[in-house]
Each structure stands twice: as structure tokens, then as C-alpha cells.
Amino acid sequence: MLKFALLGVSLSMIGFLYRLIKGPSVPDRVIALDAMGINLIAIVALASIVMDTSAYLEAILLLGILSFIGTVAFAKFLEKGEIIEDDRNR
């Protein structure tokens, strides 16, 4: 059953990859990238369960943090046009 879940999540990555490449707008591409990060976390978690090991838990945590930071950075860039604001020029 876990292998079927792993296959399903892996197949959904193809759909998100299509949306990332062909997305009609930039926010669609950002959402697809975020979903790919979540799916990558799910793939690593399912692989960890299938292999019956807890060695990948740190990798899952790292992927979650990187995915969150990437999504927040893209959202801020879309909203303000820059990621790091320079307040010294005010």
C-alpha cells in the first residue's frame, strides 16, 4: 500500500512539473513549486517508512524549512518586487 502511495505522489510531481513549466502566471508557478516541495517531503517520508528507518527525518525537516523559506521569498518578491529591503535609503 505504501508503494502505491509513493507511486501516486511521484506521479503528481509530473503534474506539478508541468504547471511549473507551463503555468499561465508566476503565482501559479510559485504554488506549483511549493507543492513540489511538499510532495518531495512526502516522498522522503514514505521512502523512510518503506525502508523502516528514521535516518531521513532530519532531511524531511530541512526540506520543510527550505520549502517554506522559498515560498515566503517568492511571495515577498511577487508582492514588493524585492526580497531583502534596504532601509538605509529612507
Side-chain angles (χ1 to χ4, degrees), residues 24-41:
S25 66
V26 175
D28 290 332
R29 291 181 173 142
V30 171
I31 290 172
L33 189 64
D34 185 45
M36 286 177 72
I38 292 169
N39 272 0
L40 187 61
I41 291 169

Side-chain angles (χ1 to χ4, degrees), residues 18-87:
Y18 175 77
R19 182 57 55 198
L20 181 67
I21 294 171
K22 299 288 280 186
S25 66
V26 175
D28 290 332
R29 291 181 173 142
V30 171
I31 290 172
L33 189 64
D34 185 45
M36 286 177 72
I38 292 169
N39 272 0
L40 187 61
I41 291 169
I43 288 172
V44 172
L46 288 170
S48 177
I49 292 171
V50 168
M51 289 189 268
D52 195 25
T53 181
S54 62
Y56 299 115
L57 295 180
E58 291 86 10
I60 292 170
L61 182 64
L62 183 65
L63 287 172
I65 291 170
L66 289 176
S67 176
F68 174 75
I69 290 172
T71 302
V72 168
F74 274 120
K76 189 171 180 181
F77 180 75
L78 289 176
E79 182 181 345
K80 296 184 177 181
E82 61 184 350
I83 296 174
I84 299 172
E85 298 177 19
D86 188 16
D87 290 338

